[in-house]
Amino acid sequence: MEAKAIIDAVLDFDQEKTAQLVRALLDQGVDALKILDQALIAAMDEVGRQFSTGDFFVPEMLMAAEAMHAGLEVLGPHLARSDIKAKGTIVIGTVKGDNHDIGKNLVAMMLECAGYRVIDLGVNVSKGKFLAAAKKYQAHIVALSALLTTTLAEMEAVVADVRAKGGSRLKTLVGGAPVTASFAAGIGADGYSPDAAGAVSVVRSLISA
Amino acid sequence: MHMTSRERFLKTMRYQKTDRVPYFEEGIRKDVIKAWRTQGLTKTAELSEMFSTDRREEIEVDLEPRPKLKKWPASRNELNVLRKSLDPDDSRRLPGKWSQRVRTWRSRDHMLMLRVHRGFFLSMGVYGWDRFSEVIRLLIKDTKLMREALAIQGEFAARMAERVLAEVEVDAAVFSEPIGGNDGPLLSPKMYEEFVLTSYQPVLDVLNRYGIETIILRTFANARILIPSILKWGFNCLWGCEVNIEAMDYRDLRREFGPKLRLIGGIDLDALRRDKEAIRREVEDKVPPLLAGGGYVPLADGRVRADVPFENYVYYRKLLEKVTRAGMG
Ligand code: B12
């Protein structure tokens, strides 16, 4: 399989070409899951890498994600639902009292591009909703965003709730401008990342753990 | 040597001798005062009388499209709508009681600054995710449209600045840049220069023409890697609010950029939320070296909110006075 052309198309932010190349591979009979893993997700890994080295910023990341999505759309009908589910399910939202969602959406988008099923609950999400959604979708991770110092307490409460009632498999991931690694550790969250690209590697290690 | 607040600010920014550094107020709102009234701030006490305070004032002209745009231009032929909605001659754009204010400003003793631009994202109408992703897309997919829209805003902001400066002598100009990340800006320095700073050029030209000495970038995010770019464009002062203070430690910035970059802020607000020991360490470690270099106005790096106990605030203000007065010799 020629994965490199697809990776290049994604890195060129070329939606049409990405879609077209994916279609061509499918026509050749290449397995959809293989295209997802070795071309599309591999491309987003490269995006994440370039983000962490400071070669890519948010515009580049977002545009690459859109190109990747164009490929994913072509791939979608050919992928078994179980393929996506198997990688892991993440329930994400901004905690109650907080309406900021730009950062949270970037994180959700990157996780989706890494092949996870992402259930986005939106903003101002109450404690109970996180846990209910996690149970309903059999999530692996509850991811929380907070941008206000005043909603950090709510984040702490949700993390405590998930720990108490979510079962041992369900993990928590937290982030947002006022959240630091030490705050995250202090409230007992399982993972933290300062940015969207980093969130992908944290999720990988949490799910494989 | 007694100085007015205004002289103190101007001389500080010129690296000249002052009686002491300016003590700016931290944007304390009524709800905080109300909370503090139950924590030992007596009914009649005024913070500005309890502590030496240098008043600062900001002229905020209305830089929003008027009337509000129903839809932002999606192609270049739609740009006229934006152009028309940004009429610098619209008198409603100036703050109320304008001529009266202009008169009183002439004999003022305090520092007065003009906010000249609201930054890339807000000036492009970003208040939520949909427009955010649209604007991001334009930066890559329709650079011409983006450049022209920014140029319209830049020209308009320049005309507005000119309107004010023709009547009022201000002590500084502020470009604000609220949207960003704690780990870094959203746009690369290259993109920030090509699109944003380029569009600021007409404003900077006006500021130069009127001899505005202090040109501030007020950022609400970690703008560390943008500093070389803003210096290149003629900015000479950074004011970081609610930023990740470890990433923008002013002592490091001073070491790296020297006196070209004047600094406002830099004191971690979290220390004020914590305890006296944290406050003592924060102020005693950071303020003296910055003070010694000059061109520095110490200030908490954000608005003091109700989660700061009154006792901590009192301790902080007293300590700041002590440390800064000792520093002046
Ligand atoms: C845009 C903005 C708004 C917009 C929000 C639009 C939207 N749909 O999101 C509007 C105008 C609505 C708004 C409103 C308010 N805001 Co506001 N807002 C901002 C601003 C300028 C930018 C935030 C942003 O989008 N940054 C860009 C994104 C990409 O960065 P980010 O969110 O940090 O996300 C990154 C990381 O943190 C991380 N991340 C984020 N979430 C998650 C989650 C996980 C799981 C992980 C792993 C990582 C992660 O990854 C992201 C990508 O790298 C910030 C200042 C700032 N620079 O942070 C203030 C700011 C957050 N707002 C502030 C305030 C006070 C308010 C208001 C209370 C103002 C008011 N008085 O009305 C209201 C609150 C409304 C509410 N209840 O939520 C303060 C908070 C102060 C504090 N320390 O508590 C700030 C810091 C500004 C300030 N200095 O005053 N705001």
PDB file of all heavy atoms in Angstrom, chain A residues 97-103 107 144-145 147-149 174-177 193-196, chain B residues 127-128 178 180 220 242 305, ligand 1:
ATOM      1  N   GLY A  97     -20.569  25.440  34.497  1.00  0.00           N
ATOM      2  CA  GLY A  97     -20.206  26.814  34.837  1.00  0.00           C
ATOM      3  C   GLY A  97     -19.247  27.432  33.830  1.00  0.00           C
ATOM      4  O   GLY A  97     -18.940  28.615  33.899  1.00  0.00           O
ATOM      5  N   ASP A  98     -18.786  26.616  32.916  1.00  0.00           N
ATOM      6  CA  ASP A  98     -17.767  27.082  31.974  1.00  0.00           C
ATOM      7  C   ASP A  98     -18.262  26.903  30.540  1.00  0.00           C
ATOM      8  O   ASP A  98     -18.710  25.814  30.171  1.00  0.00           O
ATOM      9  CB  ASP A  98     -16.491  26.257  32.204  1.00  0.00           C
ATOM     10  CG  ASP A  98     -15.241  26.987  31.777  1.00  0.00           C
ATOM     11  OD1 ASP A  98     -15.288  27.679  30.744  1.00  0.00           O
ATOM     12  OD2 ASP A  98     -14.215  26.867  32.463  1.00  0.00           O
ATOM     13  N   ASN A  99     -18.186  27.981  29.742  1.00  0.00           N
ATOM     14  CA  ASN A  99     -18.680  27.903  28.368  1.00  0.00           C
ATOM     15  C   ASN A  99     -17.584  27.947  27.314  1.00  0.00           C
ATOM     16  O   ASN A  99     -17.860  28.085  26.140  1.00  0.00           O
ATOM     17  CB  ASN A  99     -19.650  29.059  28.102  1.00  0.00           C
ATOM     18  CG  ASN A  99     -20.931  28.908  28.890  1.00  0.00           C
ATOM     19  OD1 ASN A  99     -21.379  27.795  29.145  1.00  0.00           O
ATOM     20  ND2 ASN A  99     -21.495  30.021  29.323  1.00  0.00           N
ATOM     21  N   HIS A 100     -16.341  27.890  27.746  1.00  0.00           N
ATOM     22  CA  HIS A 100     -15.248  27.954  26.764  1.00  0.00           C
ATOM     23  C   HIS A 100     -15.131  26.621  26.026  1.00  0.00           C
ATOM     24  O   HIS A 100     -15.076  25.577  26.667  1.00  0.00           O
ATOM     25  CB  HIS A 100     -13.931  28.264  27.462  1.00  0.00           C
ATOM     26  CG  HIS A 100     -13.894  29.619  28.102  1.00  0.00           C
ATOM     27  ND1 HIS A 100     -14.395  29.859  29.352  1.00  0.00           N
ATOM     28  CD2 HIS A 100     -13.431  30.811  27.645  1.00  0.00           C
ATOM     29  CE1 HIS A 100     -14.232  31.142  29.653  1.00  0.00           C
ATOM     30  NE2 HIS A 100     -13.652  31.752  28.630  1.00  0.00           N
ATOM     31  N   ASP A 101     -15.071  26.682  24.704  1.00  0.00           N
ATOM     32  CA  ASP A 101     -14.971  25.388  24.010  1.00  0.00           C
ATOM     33  C   ASP A 101     -13.957  25.319  22.880  1.00  0.00           C
ATOM     34  O   ASP A 101     -13.816  24.288  22.235  1.00  0.00           O
ATOM     35  CB  ASP A 101     -16.355  24.928  23.524  1.00  0.00           C
ATOM     36  CG  ASP A 101     -16.910  25.791  22.392  1.00  0.00           C
ATOM     37  OD1 ASP A 101     -16.275  26.798  22.038  1.00  0.00           O
ATOM     38  OD2 ASP A 101     -17.975  25.451  21.867  1.00  0.00           O
ATOM     39  N   ILE A 102     -13.247  26.390  22.613  1.00  0.00           N
ATOM     40  CA  ILE A 102     -12.310  26.343  21.482  1.00  0.00           C
ATOM     41  C   ILE A 102     -11.224  25.295  21.733  1.00  0.00           C
ATOM     42  O   ILE A 102     -10.964  24.432  20.891  1.00  0.00           O
ATOM     43  CB  ILE A 102     -11.700  27.743  21.218  1.00  0.00           C
ATOM     44  CG1 ILE A 102     -12.806  28.703  20.765  1.00  0.00           C
ATOM     45  CG2 ILE A 102     -10.602  27.661  20.170  1.00  0.00           C
ATOM     46  CD1 ILE A 102     -12.371  30.147  20.573  1.00  0.00           C
ATOM     47  N   GLY A 103     -10.616  25.353  22.906  1.00  0.00           N
ATOM     48  CA  GLY A 103      -9.567  24.387  23.248  1.00  0.00           C
ATOM     49  C   GLY A 103     -10.101  22.968  23.298  1.00  0.00           C
ATOM     50  O   GLY A 103      -9.501  22.043  22.742  1.00  0.00           O
ATOM     51  N   VAL A 107      -9.041  19.587  21.031  1.00  0.00           N
ATOM     52  CA  VAL A 107      -8.661  18.299  21.625  1.00  0.00           C
ATOM     53  C   VAL A 107      -9.541  17.184  21.064  1.00  0.00           C
ATOM     54  O   VAL A 107      -9.044  16.135  20.626  1.00  0.00           O
ATOM     55  CB  VAL A 107      -8.774  18.358  23.175  1.00  0.00           C
ATOM     56  CG1 VAL A 107      -8.560  16.974  23.787  1.00  0.00           C
ATOM     57  CG2 VAL A 107      -7.775  19.358  23.749  1.00  0.00           C
ATOM     58  N   LEU A 144     -11.984  16.241  30.509  1.00  0.00           N
ATOM     59  CA  LEU A 144     -12.614  17.456  31.020  1.00  0.00           C
ATOM     60  C   LEU A 144     -11.795  18.689  30.688  1.00  0.00           C
ATOM     61  O   LEU A 144     -10.572  18.690  30.821  1.00  0.00           O
ATOM     62  CB  LEU A 144     -12.730  17.365  32.547  1.00  0.00           C
ATOM     63  CG  LEU A 144     -13.374  16.102  33.108  1.00  0.00           C
ATOM     64  CD1 LEU A 144     -13.159  16.031  34.606  1.00  0.00           C
ATOM     65  CD2 LEU A 144     -14.855  16.083  32.771  1.00  0.00           C
ATOM     66  N   SER A 145     -12.511  19.734  30.301  1.00  0.00           N
ATOM     67  CA  SER A 145     -11.841  20.996  30.022  1.00  0.00           C
ATOM     68  C   SER A 145     -12.388  22.066  30.964  1.00  0.00           C
ATOM     69  O   SER A 145     -13.582  22.087  31.265  1.00  0.00           O
ATOM     70  CB  SER A 145     -12.099  21.405  28.563  1.00  0.00           C
ATOM     71  OG  SER A 145     -11.491  22.647  28.281  1.00  0.00           O
ATOM     72  N   LEU A 147     -11.594  26.437  31.740  1.00  0.00           N
ATOM     73  CA  LEU A 147     -10.803  27.634  31.416  1.00  0.00           C
ATOM     74  C   LEU A 147     -10.849  28.683  32.518  1.00  0.00           C
ATOM     75  O   LEU A 147     -10.140  29.677  32.476  1.00  0.00           O
ATOM     76  CB  LEU A 147     -11.317  28.265  30.116  1.00  0.00           C
ATOM     77  CG  LEU A 147     -10.629  27.924  28.806  1.00  0.00           C
ATOM     78  CD1 LEU A 147      -9.371  28.747  28.613  1.00  0.00           C
ATOM     79  CD2 LEU A 147     -10.262  26.455  28.730  1.00  0.00           C
ATOM     80  N   LEU A 148     -11.723  28.481  33.479  1.00  0.00           N
ATOM     81  CA  LEU A 148     -11.873  29.481  34.544  1.00  0.00           C
ATOM     82  C   LEU A 148     -11.325  28.902  35.844  1.00  0.00           C
ATOM     83  O   LEU A 148     -11.570  27.730  36.139  1.00  0.00           O
ATOM     84  CB  LEU A 148     -13.348  29.837  34.729  1.00  0.00           C
ATOM     85  CG  LEU A 148     -14.067  30.410  33.513  1.00  0.00           C
ATOM     86  CD1 LEU A 148     -15.585  30.432  33.732  1.00  0.00           C
ATOM     87  CD2 LEU A 148     -13.580  31.820  33.223  1.00  0.00           C
ATOM     88  N   THR A 149     -10.635  29.726  36.601  1.00  0.00           N
ATOM     89  CA  THR A 149     -10.143  29.212  37.890  1.00  0.00           C
ATOM     90  C   THR A 149     -11.324  28.827  38.777  1.00  0.00           C
ATOM     91  O   THR A 149     -11.211  27.919  39.585  1.00  0.00           O
ATOM     92  CB  THR A 149      -9.253  30.248  38.610  1.00  0.00           C
ATOM     93  OG1 THR A 149      -9.801  31.534  38.413  1.00  0.00           O
ATOM     94  CG2 THR A 149      -7.857  30.229  38.073  1.00  0.00           C
ATOM     95  N   VAL A 174      -7.560  15.561  32.015  1.00  0.00           N
ATOM     96  CA  VAL A 174      -7.974  16.950  32.225  1.00  0.00           C
ATOM     97  C   VAL A 174      -7.048  17.940  31.502  1.00  0.00           C
ATOM     98  O   VAL A 174      -5.895  17.639  31.217  1.00  0.00           O
ATOM     99  CB  VAL A 174      -8.020  17.318  33.736  1.00  0.00           C
ATOM    100  CG1 VAL A 174      -9.074  16.507  34.455  1.00  0.00           C
ATOM    101  CG2 VAL A 174      -6.656  17.152  34.386  1.00  0.00           C
ATOM    102  N   GLY A 175      -7.596  19.124  31.204  1.00  0.00           N
ATOM    103  CA  GLY A 175      -6.800  20.160  30.556  1.00  0.00           C
ATOM    104  C   GLY A 175      -7.547  21.476  30.523  1.00  0.00           C
ATOM    105  O   GLY A 175      -8.680  21.576  30.998  1.00  0.00           O
ATOM    106  N   GLY A 176      -6.901  22.495  29.975  1.00  0.00           N
ATOM    107  CA  GLY A 176      -7.461  23.852  29.941  1.00  0.00           C
ATOM    108  C   GLY A 176      -6.431  24.812  30.519  1.00  0.00           C
ATOM    109  O   GLY A 176      -5.571  24.387  31.290  1.00  0.00           O
ATOM    110  N   ALA A 177      -6.538  26.079  30.149  1.00  0.00           N
ATOM    111  CA  ALA A 177      -5.479  27.038  30.484  1.00  0.00           C
ATOM    112  C   ALA A 177      -5.060  27.057  31.967  1.00  0.00           C
ATOM    113  O   ALA A 177      -3.867  27.052  32.260  1.00  0.00           O
ATOM    114  CB  ALA A 177      -5.872  28.427  30.010  1.00  0.00           C
ATOM    115  N   SER A 193      -2.731  16.993  29.711  1.00  0.00           N
ATOM    116  CA  SER A 193      -1.881  17.490  28.633  1.00  0.00           C
ATOM    117  C   SER A 193      -2.100  18.985  28.478  1.00  0.00           C
ATOM    118  O   SER A 193      -3.227  19.466  28.596  1.00  0.00           O
ATOM    119  CB  SER A 193      -2.217  16.792  27.313  1.00  0.00           C
ATOM    120  OG  SER A 193      -1.659  17.531  26.245  1.00  0.00           O
ATOM    121  N   PRO A 194      -1.031  19.723  28.232  1.00  0.00           N
ATOM    122  CA  PRO A 194      -1.191  21.159  28.046  1.00  0.00           C
ATOM    123  C   PRO A 194      -1.780  21.516  26.688  1.00  0.00           C
ATOM    124  O   PRO A 194      -2.231  22.644  26.490  1.00  0.00           O
ATOM    125  CB  PRO A 194       0.242  21.706  28.168  1.00  0.00           C
ATOM    126  CG  PRO A 194       1.118  20.558  27.806  1.00  0.00           C
ATOM    127  CD  PRO A 194       0.379  19.316  28.202  1.00  0.00           C
ATOM    128  N   ASP A 195      -1.777  20.576  25.733  1.00  0.00           N
ATOM    129  CA  ASP A 195      -2.314  20.924  24.418  1.00  0.00           C
ATOM    130  C   ASP A 195      -2.966  19.732  23.733  1.00  0.00           C
ATOM    131  O   ASP A 195      -2.925  18.602  24.224  1.00  0.00           O
ATOM    132  CB  ASP A 195      -1.225  21.537  23.530  1.00  0.00           C
ATOM    133  CG  ASP A 195      -0.064  20.586  23.330  1.00  0.00           C
ATOM    134  OD1 ASP A 195      -0.318  19.435  22.964  1.00  0.00           O
ATOM    135  OD2 ASP A 195       1.091  21.003  23.554  1.00  0.00           O
ATOM    136  N   ALA A 196      -3.561  20.018  22.582  1.00  0.00           N
ATOM    137  CA  ALA A 196      -4.367  19.015  21.893  1.00  0.00           C
ATOM    138  C   ALA A 196      -3.522  17.875  21.313  1.00  0.00           C
ATOM    139  O   ALA A 196      -3.926  16.714  21.359  1.00  0.00           O
ATOM    140  CB  ALA A 196      -5.183  19.684  20.782  1.00  0.00           C
TER     141      ALA A 196
ATOM    142  N   TYR B 127     -15.860  34.892  18.432  1.00  0.00           N
ATOM    143  CA  TYR B 127     -16.357  34.822  19.811  1.00  0.00           C
ATOM    144  C   TYR B 127     -16.750  33.399  20.164  1.00  0.00           C
ATOM    145  O   TYR B 127     -17.233  33.127  21.247  1.00  0.00           O
ATOM    146  CB  TYR B 127     -17.542  35.771  20.019  1.00  0.00           C
ATOM    147  CG  TYR B 127     -17.099  37.213  20.046  1.00  0.00           C
ATOM    148  CD1 TYR B 127     -17.111  37.986  18.898  1.00  0.00           C
ATOM    149  CD2 TYR B 127     -16.614  37.776  21.228  1.00  0.00           C
ATOM    150  CE1 TYR B 127     -16.663  39.297  18.912  1.00  0.00           C
ATOM    151  CE2 TYR B 127     -16.167  39.082  21.258  1.00  0.00           C
ATOM    152  CZ  TYR B 127     -16.197  39.842  20.092  1.00  0.00           C
ATOM    153  OH  TYR B 127     -15.743  41.132  20.117  1.00  0.00           O
ATOM    154  N   GLY B 128     -16.566  32.513  19.214  1.00  0.00           N
ATOM    155  CA  GLY B 128     -16.934  31.128  19.469  1.00  0.00           C
ATOM    156  C   GLY B 128     -16.278  30.221  18.440  1.00  0.00           C
ATOM    157  O   GLY B 128     -15.553  30.683  17.547  1.00  0.00           O
ATOM    158  N   PRO B 178      -6.107  38.737  23.065  1.00  0.00           N
ATOM    159  CA  PRO B 178      -6.630  37.864  24.116  1.00  0.00           C
ATOM    160  C   PRO B 178      -6.614  36.370  23.824  1.00  0.00           C
ATOM    161  O   PRO B 178      -6.433  35.582  24.722  1.00  0.00           O
ATOM    162  CB  PRO B 178      -8.065  38.359  24.324  1.00  0.00           C
ATOM    163  CG  PRO B 178      -8.416  39.092  23.096  1.00  0.00           C
ATOM    164  CD  PRO B 178      -7.155  39.555  22.444  1.00  0.00           C
ATOM    165  N   GLY B 180      -5.369  32.884  22.859  1.00  0.00           N
ATOM    166  CA  GLY B 180      -4.137  32.140  22.659  1.00  0.00           C
ATOM    167  C   GLY B 180      -4.110  30.995  23.632  1.00  0.00           C
ATOM    168  O   GLY B 180      -5.053  30.800  24.395  1.00  0.00           O
ATOM    169  N   PHE B 220      -3.075  37.705  26.678  1.00  0.00           N
ATOM    170  CA  PHE B 220      -3.710  36.851  27.682  1.00  0.00           C
ATOM    171  C   PHE B 220      -3.276  35.415  27.475  1.00  0.00           C
ATOM    172  O   PHE B 220      -3.908  34.489  27.958  1.00  0.00           O
ATOM    173  CB  PHE B 220      -5.234  36.967  27.596  1.00  0.00           C
ATOM    174  CG  PHE B 220      -5.725  38.324  27.987  1.00  0.00           C
ATOM    175  CD1 PHE B 220      -5.678  39.364  27.090  1.00  0.00           C
ATOM    176  CD2 PHE B 220      -6.207  38.568  29.260  1.00  0.00           C
ATOM    177  CE1 PHE B 220      -6.115  40.632  27.441  1.00  0.00           C
ATOM    178  CE2 PHE B 220      -6.660  39.823  29.631  1.00  0.00           C
ATOM    179  CZ  PHE B 220      -6.604  40.860  28.724  1.00  0.00           C
ATOM    180  N   GLU B 242      -2.921  36.838  32.962  1.00  0.00           N
ATOM    181  CA  GLU B 242      -3.444  35.467  33.047  1.00  0.00           C
ATOM    182  C   GLU B 242      -2.629  34.520  32.175  1.00  0.00           C
ATOM    183  O   GLU B 242      -3.177  33.686  31.468  1.00  0.00           O
ATOM    184  CB  GLU B 242      -4.908  35.405  32.580  1.00  0.00           C
ATOM    185  CG  GLU B 242      -5.820  36.389  33.245  1.00  0.00           C
ATOM    186  CD  GLU B 242      -6.378  35.908  34.572  1.00  0.00           C
ATOM    187  OE1 GLU B 242      -6.072  34.788  34.990  1.00  0.00           O
ATOM    188  OE2 GLU B 242      -7.096  36.702  35.200  1.00  0.00           O
ATOM    189  N   ARG B 305      -9.168  38.590  41.897  1.00  0.00           N
ATOM    190  CA  ARG B 305     -10.568  38.193  42.040  1.00  0.00           C
ATOM    191  C   ARG B 305     -10.868  37.769  43.472  1.00  0.00           C
ATOM    192  O   ARG B 305      -9.995  37.732  44.330  1.00  0.00           O
ATOM    193  CB  ARG B 305     -10.888  37.063  41.061  1.00  0.00           C
ATOM    194  CG  ARG B 305     -10.826  37.523  39.606  1.00  0.00           C
ATOM    195  CD  ARG B 305     -11.428  36.496  38.658  1.00  0.00           C
ATOM    196  NE  ARG B 305     -11.674  37.090  37.340  1.00  0.00           N
ATOM    197  CZ  ARG B 305     -10.761  37.231  36.399  1.00  0.00           C
ATOM    198  NH1 ARG B 305      -9.541  36.829  36.609  1.00  0.00           N
ATOM    199  NH2 ARG B 305     -11.073  37.785  35.236  1.00  0.00           N
TER     200      ARG B 305
HETATM  201  C1  B12 C   1     -12.214  33.206  23.874  1.00  0.00           C
HETATM  202  C2  B12 C   1     -12.467  33.484  25.335  1.00  0.00           C
HETATM  203  C3  B12 C   1     -13.791  33.629  25.748  1.00  0.00           C
HETATM  204  C4  B12 C   1     -14.971  33.434  24.813  1.00  0.00           C
HETATM  205  C5  B12 C   1     -15.260  31.926  24.715  1.00  0.00           C
HETATM  206  C6  B12 C   1     -15.600  31.445  23.333  1.00  0.00           C
HETATM  207  C7  B12 C   1     -15.662  29.963  23.270  1.00  0.00           C
HETATM  208  N1  B12 C   1     -16.677  29.481  22.608  1.00  0.00           N
HETATM  209  O1  B12 C   1     -14.826  29.230  23.772  1.00  0.00           O
HETATM  210  C8  B12 C   1     -16.077  34.207  25.571  1.00  0.00           C
HETATM  211  C9  B12 C   1     -16.086  35.649  25.073  1.00  0.00           C
HETATM  212  C10 B12 C   1     -17.492  33.653  25.423  1.00  0.00           C
HETATM  213  C11 B12 C   1     -15.543  34.168  27.000  1.00  0.00           C
HETATM  214  C12 B12 C   1     -16.348  34.334  28.122  1.00  0.00           C
HETATM  215  C13 B12 C   1     -15.845  34.438  29.405  1.00  0.00           C
HETATM  216  N2  B12 C   1     -14.560  34.466  29.783  1.00  0.00           N
HETATM  217 CO1  B12 C   1     -13.146  33.996  28.590  1.00  0.00          CO
HETATM  218  N3  B12 C   1     -11.638  33.863  27.532  1.00  0.00           N
HETATM  219  C14 B12 C   1     -11.392  33.604  26.263  1.00  0.00           C
HETATM  220  C15 B12 C   1      -9.888  33.662  25.951  1.00  0.00           C
HETATM  221  C16 B12 C   1      -9.604  35.041  25.386  1.00  0.00           C
HETATM  222  C17 B12 C   1      -9.326  32.615  25.003  1.00  0.00           C
HETATM  223  C18 B12 C   1      -9.613  31.158  25.344  1.00  0.00           C
HETATM  224  C19 B12 C   1      -9.259  30.291  24.162  1.00  0.00           C
HETATM  225  O2  B12 C   1     -10.116  29.904  23.393  1.00  0.00           O
HETATM  226  N4  B12 C   1      -7.963  30.031  23.941  1.00  0.00           N
HETATM  227  C20 B12 C   1      -7.474  29.282  22.823  1.00  0.00           C
HETATM  228  C21 B12 C   1      -7.519  27.771  23.109  1.00  0.00           C
HETATM  229  C22 B12 C   1      -6.991  26.983  21.923  1.00  0.00           C
HETATM  230  O3  B12 C   1      -6.684  27.522  24.213  1.00  0.00           O
HETATM  231  P1  B12 C   1      -7.183  26.740  25.509  1.00  0.00           P
HETATM  232  O4  B12 C   1      -8.621  26.919  25.694  1.00  0.00           O
HETATM  233  O5  B12 C   1      -6.282  27.007  26.616  1.00  0.00           O
HETATM  234  O6  B12 C   1      -7.021  25.192  25.093  1.00  0.00           O
HETATM  235  C23 B12 C   1      -5.785  24.552  24.898  1.00  0.00           C
HETATM  236  C24 B12 C   1      -5.235  23.912  26.174  1.00  0.00           C
HETATM  237  O7  B12 C   1      -5.631  24.553  27.352  1.00  0.00           O
HETATM  238  C25 B12 C   1      -5.651  22.493  26.099  1.00  0.00           C
HETATM  239  N5  B12 C   1      -6.966  22.082  26.585  1.00  0.00           N
HETATM  240  C26 B12 C   1      -8.126  22.746  26.677  1.00  0.00           C
HETATM  241  N6  B12 C   1      -9.097  21.956  27.118  1.00  0.00           N
HETATM  242  C27 B12 C   1      -8.580  20.735  27.302  1.00  0.00           C
HETATM  243  C28 B12 C   1      -9.131  19.530  27.726  1.00  0.00           C
HETATM  244  C29 B12 C   1      -8.342  18.407  27.818  1.00  0.00           C
HETATM  245  C30 B12 C   1      -8.947  17.127  28.255  1.00  0.00           C
HETATM  246  C31 B12 C   1      -6.949  18.482  27.508  1.00  0.00           C
HETATM  247  C32 B12 C   1      -6.100  17.297  27.645  1.00  0.00           C
HETATM  248  C33 B12 C   1      -6.388  19.692  27.085  1.00  0.00           C
HETATM  249  C34 B12 C   1      -7.199  20.803  26.968  1.00  0.00           C
HETATM  250  O8  B12 C   1      -5.602  22.221  24.724  1.00  0.00           O
HETATM  251  C35 B12 C   1      -6.067  23.366  23.996  1.00  0.00           C
HETATM  252  C36 B12 C   1      -5.416  23.393  22.650  1.00  0.00           C
HETATM  253  O9  B12 C   1      -4.015  23.391  22.712  1.00  0.00           O
HETATM  254  C37 B12 C   1      -9.294  33.462  27.378  1.00  0.00           C
HETATM  255  C38 B12 C   1      -7.895  34.024  27.574  1.00  0.00           C
HETATM  256  C39 B12 C   1      -6.875  32.968  27.251  1.00  0.00           C
HETATM  257  N7  B12 C   1      -5.910  33.340  26.486  1.00  0.00           N
HETATM  258  O10 B12 C   1      -6.974  31.828  27.675  1.00  0.00           O
HETATM  259  C40 B12 C   1     -10.344  34.124  28.250  1.00  0.00           C
HETATM  260  C41 B12 C   1     -10.522  33.719  29.738  1.00  0.00           C
HETATM  261  C42 B12 C   1     -10.368  32.218  29.865  1.00  0.00           C
HETATM  262  N8  B12 C   1     -11.905  34.103  30.031  1.00  0.00           N
HETATM  263  C43 B12 C   1     -11.995  34.587  31.205  1.00  0.00           C
HETATM  264  C44 B12 C   1     -13.226  35.052  31.762  1.00  0.00           C
HETATM  265  C45 B12 C   1     -13.151  35.683  33.149  1.00  0.00           C
HETATM  266  C46 B12 C   1     -14.425  34.917  31.059  1.00  0.00           C
HETATM  267  C47 B12 C   1     -15.801  35.365  31.562  1.00  0.00           C
HETATM  268  C48 B12 C   1     -16.144  35.023  33.003  1.00  0.00           C
HETATM  269  C49 B12 C   1     -15.897  36.875  31.292  1.00  0.00           C
HETATM  270  C50 B12 C   1     -17.143  37.537  31.776  1.00  0.00           C
HETATM  271  N9  B12 C   1     -16.992  38.257  32.840  1.00  0.00           N
HETATM  272  O11 B12 C   1     -18.174  37.360  31.201  1.00  0.00           O
HETATM  273  C51 B12 C   1     -16.743  34.640  30.579  1.00  0.00           C
HETATM  274  C52 B12 C   1     -17.144  33.275  31.142  1.00  0.00           C
HETATM  275  C53 B12 C   1     -18.258  32.618  30.479  1.00  0.00           C
HETATM  276  C54 B12 C   1     -18.370  31.224  31.013  1.00  0.00           C
HETATM  277  N10 B12 C   1     -19.274  30.981  31.942  1.00  0.00           N
HETATM  278  O12 B12 C   1     -17.624  30.356  30.627  1.00  0.00           O
HETATM  279  C55 B12 C   1     -10.678  34.624  31.943  1.00  0.00           C
HETATM  280  C56 B12 C   1     -10.539  33.560  33.014  1.00  0.00           C
HETATM  281  C57 B12 C   1      -9.881  34.100  34.239  1.00  0.00           C
HETATM  282  C58 B12 C   1      -9.637  33.026  35.216  1.00  0.00           C
HETATM  283  N11 B12 C   1      -8.377  32.767  35.476  1.00  0.00           N
HETATM  284  O13 B12 C   1     -10.551  32.450  35.728  1.00  0.00           O
HETATM  285  C59 B12 C   1      -9.685  34.547  30.812  1.00  0.00           C
HETATM  286  C60 B12 C   1      -8.341  33.889  31.176  1.00  0.00           C
HETATM  287  C61 B12 C   1      -9.444  35.978  30.265  1.00  0.00           C
HETATM  288  C62 B12 C   1      -9.047  36.968  31.345  1.00  0.00           C
HETATM  289  N12 B12 C   1      -7.810  37.136  31.636  1.00  0.00           N
HETATM  290  O14 B12 C   1      -9.891  37.601  31.930  1.00  0.00           O
HETATM  291  N13 B12 C   1     -14.230  33.969  27.017  1.00  0.00           N
END
